[in-house]
Coordinates of all heavy atoms in Angstrom, one line a residue:
Chain B
S26 N 16.8 92.5 94.2 CA 17.1 93.3 95.4 C 18.6 93.8 95.2 O 18.8 95.0 95.4 CB 17.0 92.5 96.7 OG 17.3 93.2 97.8
L27 N 19.5 93.0 94.9 CA 20.9 93.4 94.6 C 20.9 94.3 93.5 O 21.7 95.3 93.5 CB 21.7 92.1 94.4 CG 21.9 91.2 95.6 CD1 22.6 89.9 95.1 CD2 22.8 91.9 96.6
A28 N 20.2 94.1 92.4 CA 20.3 95.0 91.2 C 19.8 96.4 91.6 O 20.3 97.3 91.0 CB 19.4 94.4 90.1
L29 N 18.9 96.5 92.5 CA 18.4 97.8 93.0 C 19.3 98.4 94.0 O 19.0 99.5 94.5 CB 17.0 97.7 93.5 CG 15.9 97.4 92.4 CD1 14.5 97.1 93.0 CD2 15.8 98.6 91.4
G30 N 20.3 97.7 94.4 CA 21.3 98.3 95.4 C 20.9 98.1 96.8 O 21.5 98.8 97.7
H31 N 20.0 97.3 97.1 CA 19.7 97.0 98.5 C 20.7 96.1 99.2 O 21.0 95.1 98.6 CB 18.3 96.3 98.7 CG 17.1 97.1 98.3 ND1 16.7 98.2 99.0 CD2 16.3 97.1 97.2 CE1 15.7 98.8 98.5 NE2 15.4 98.1 97.3
P32 N 21.2 96.5 100.3 CA 22.0 95.4 101.1 C 21.0 94.3 101.4 O 19.9 94.5 101.9 CB 22.4 96.2 102.4 CG 22.3 97.6 102.0 CD 21.2 97.8 101.0
T33 N 21.4 93.1 100.9 CA 20.4 92.0 100.9 C 20.9 90.8 101.7 O 22.0 90.3 101.5 CB 20.2 91.6 99.4 OG1 19.8 92.7 98.6 CG2 19.2 90.5 99.3
F34 N 20.1 90.4 102.6 CA 20.4 89.3 103.6 C 19.5 88.1 103.3 O 18.3 88.3 103.1 CB 20.2 89.8 105.0 CG 21.1 91.0 105.4 CD1 20.9 92.2 105.0 CD2 22.2 90.7 106.2 CE1 21.7 93.3 105.3 CE2 23.1 91.8 106.5 CZ 22.8 93.1 106.1
L35 N 20.1 86.9 103.4 CA 19.3 85.7 103.2 C 19.3 84.9 104.5 O 20.4 84.7 105.1 CB 20.0 84.9 102.1 CG 20.4 85.6 100.8 CD1 20.9 84.6 99.8 CD2 19.3 86.5 100.3
L36 N 18.2 84.5 104.9 CA 18.1 83.6 106.0 C 18.1 82.2 105.6 O 17.3 81.8 104.7 CB 16.8 83.9 106.8 CG 16.6 83.3 108.2 CD1 17.6 84.0 109.2 CD2 15.2 83.4 108.7
F37 N 19.1 81.4 106.1 CA 19.1 80.0 105.7 C 19.1 79.1 107.0 O 19.8 79.5 108.0 CB 20.2 79.6 104.8 CG 21.6 79.6 105.4 CD1 22.2 78.4 105.8 CD2 22.3 80.8 105.6 CE1 23.4 78.4 106.4 CE2 23.5 80.8 106.2 CZ 24.1 79.6 106.6
R38 N 18.5 78.0 106.9 CA 18.4 77.1 108.1 C 19.7 76.3 108.2 O 20.3 75.9 107.2 CB 17.2 76.1 107.9 CG 15.9 76.7 108.0 CD 14.8 75.7 108.2 NE 14.9 74.6 107.2 CZ 14.3 74.6 106.1 NH1 13.5 75.5 105.7 NH2 14.5 73.6 105.2
P39 N 20.0 75.9 109.4 CA 21.3 75.1 109.6 C 21.2 73.8 108.8 O 22.3 73.4 108.2 CB 21.2 74.7 111.1 CG 20.4 75.8 111.7 CD 19.4 76.2 110.7
D40 N 20.0 73.2 108.6 CA 20.0 71.9 107.9 C 20.2 72.1 106.3 O 20.3 71.1 105.6 CB 18.7 71.1 108.2 CG 17.5 71.8 107.8 OD1 17.6 72.9 107.2 OD2 16.4 71.2 108.0
T41 N 20.2 73.3 105.9 CA 20.5 73.5 104.5 C 21.9 73.0 104.1 O 22.1 72.6 102.9 CB 20.5 75.1 104.2 OG1 19.2 75.6 104.5 CG2 20.7 75.4 102.7
A42 N 22.8 72.9 105.1 CA 24.2 72.4 104.8 C 24.2 71.0 104.2 O 25.2 70.7 103.5 CB 25.0 72.4 106.1
S43 N 23.1 70.3 104.4 CA 23.1 68.9 103.8 C 22.3 68.9 102.5 O 22.1 67.8 101.9 CB 22.6 67.9 104.8 OG 21.4 68.3 105.3
D44 N 22.0 70.0 101.9 CA 21.2 70.1 100.7 C 22.1 70.7 99.6 O 22.3 71.9 99.6 CB 19.9 70.9 100.8 CG 19.1 70.9 99.6 OD1 19.6 71.0 98.5 OD2 17.8 70.9 99.8
L45 N 22.7 69.8 98.8 CA 23.7 70.3 97.8 C 23.2 71.4 96.9 O 23.9 72.4 96.8 CB 24.2 69.1 97.0 CG 25.2 69.4 95.8 CD1 26.5 69.9 96.4 CD2 25.5 68.1 95.1
A46 N 22.1 71.2 96.3 CA 21.6 72.3 95.4 C 21.4 73.6 96.1 O 21.7 74.7 95.6 CB 20.3 71.8 94.8
R47 N 20.8 73.6 97.3 CA 20.6 74.8 98.0 C 21.9 75.5 98.5 O 22.0 76.7 98.4 CB 19.7 74.6 99.2 CG 18.2 74.4 98.9 CD 17.3 74.3 100.1 NE 16.0 73.7 99.7 CZ 15.0 74.4 99.2 NH1 15.1 75.6 98.9 NH2 13.9 73.7 98.8
C48 N 22.8 74.7 98.9 CA 24.1 75.2 99.3 C 24.8 75.9 98.1 O 25.3 77.0 98.2 CB 25.1 74.1 99.7 SG 24.8 73.5 101.4
Q49 N 24.7 75.3 96.9 CA 25.3 75.9 95.8 C 24.6 77.2 95.3 O 25.2 78.2 95.0 CB 25.4 74.9 94.6 CG 26.3 73.7 95.0 CD 27.0 73.1 93.9 OE1 26.6 73.2 92.8 NE2 28.1 72.3 94.3
M50 N 23.3 77.2 95.5 CA 22.5 78.4 95.2 C 22.9 79.5 96.1 O 23.1 80.7 95.7 CB 21.0 78.0 95.3 CG 20.1 79.2 95.1 SD 19.6 79.3 93.3 CE 18.8 77.7 93.2
L51 N 22.9 79.2 97.4 CA 23.3 80.2 98.4 C 24.7 80.8 98.1 O 24.9 82.0 98.2 CB 23.4 79.6 99.8 CG 22.0 79.4 100.5 CD1 22.2 78.7 101.9 CD2 21.3 80.8 100.7
M52 N 25.6 79.9 97.7 CA 27.0 80.4 97.4 C 27.0 81.3 96.2 O 27.6 82.3 96.2 CB 27.9 79.3 97.2 CG 28.4 78.6 98.5 SD 28.9 79.8 99.8 CE 27.5 79.6 100.9
E53 N 26.2 81.0 95.2 CA 26.1 81.8 94.0 C 25.5 83.2 94.4 O 26.0 84.2 93.9 CB 25.2 81.2 92.9 CG 25.9 80.1 92.1 CD 25.0 79.4 91.2 OE1 24.0 79.9 90.7 OE2 25.2 78.2 91.0
L54 N 24.5 83.2 95.2 CA 23.9 84.5 95.5 C 24.8 85.3 96.4 O 24.9 86.5 96.3 CB 22.5 84.2 96.3 CG 21.5 83.5 95.4 CD1 20.2 83.1 96.2 CD2 21.0 84.4 94.2
K55 N 25.6 84.6 97.2 CA 26.6 85.3 98.1 C 27.7 85.9 97.2 O 28.1 87.0 97.4 CB 27.2 84.3 99.0 CG 28.2 84.8 100.0 CD 28.6 83.8 101.1 CE 29.6 84.4 102.0 NZ 30.9 84.8 101.4
M56 N 28.1 85.1 96.2 CA 29.1 85.7 95.3 C 28.6 86.9 94.5 O 29.4 87.7 94.0 CB 29.6 84.6 94.3 CG 30.5 83.6 95.0 SD 30.8 82.1 94.0 CE 32.0 82.8 92.8
E57 N 27.2 87.0 94.3 CA 26.7 88.1 93.7 C 26.5 89.3 94.6 O 26.1 90.4 94.2 CB 25.3 87.8 93.0 CG 25.6 86.8 91.8 CD 24.2 86.3 91.2 OE1 23.2 87.1 91.3 OE2 24.2 85.2 90.6
G58 N 26.7 89.1 95.9 CA 26.7 90.2 96.9 C 25.7 90.0 98.1 O 25.7 90.9 98.9
A59 N 25.0 88.9 98.1 CA 24.1 88.7 99.2 C 24.8 88.3 100.5 O 25.9 87.8 100.4 CB 23.0 87.7 98.9
Q60 N 24.3 88.6 101.6 CA 24.9 88.2 102.9 C 24.1 87.1 103.5 O 22.9 87.2 103.6 CB 25.0 89.4 103.8 CG 26.0 90.5 103.2 CD 26.0 91.8 104.1 OE1 26.4 91.7 105.2 NE2 25.5 92.9 103.5
L61 N 24.7 86.1 104.0 CA 24.0 84.9 104.5 C 23.9 85.0 106.1 O 24.9 85.3 106.7 CB 24.8 83.6 104.2 CG 25.1 83.4 102.7 CD1 25.7 82.0 102.5 CD2 23.9 83.7 101.8
L62 N 22.7 84.8 106.6 CA 22.5 84.7 108.0 C 21.9 83.3 108.3 O 20.8 83.0 107.8 CB 21.5 85.8 108.4 CG 21.9 87.3 108.2 CD1 20.7 88.2 108.6 CD2 23.2 87.6 108.9
Q63 N 22.5 82.6 109.2 CA 22.0 81.3 109.6 C 20.8 81.6 110.6 O 21.0 82.4 111.5 CB 23.0 80.4 110.2 CG 22.5 79.0 110.4 CD 23.7 78.1 110.8 OE1 24.7 77.9 110.1 NE2 23.5 77.4 111.9
G64 N 19.7 80.9 110.5 CA 18.6 81.0 111.4 C 17.5 80.2 111.0 O 17.5 79.5 109.9

Side-chain angles (χ1 to χ4, degrees):
Chain B
S26 179
L27 291 168
L29 290 171
H31 293 289
T33 304
F34 297 77
L35 317 184
L36 191 71
F37 73 98
R38 292 196 310 270
D40 63 2
T41 303
S43 51
D44 184 323
L45 177 60
R47 285 186 198 277
C48 283
Q49 299 211 338
M50 179 89 63
L51 281 176
M52 285 312 109
E53 277 171 37
L54 297 172
K55 183 171 180 297
M56 287 168 78
E57 292 177 27
Q60 297 177 62
L61 309 188
L62 299 176
Q63 189 173 305

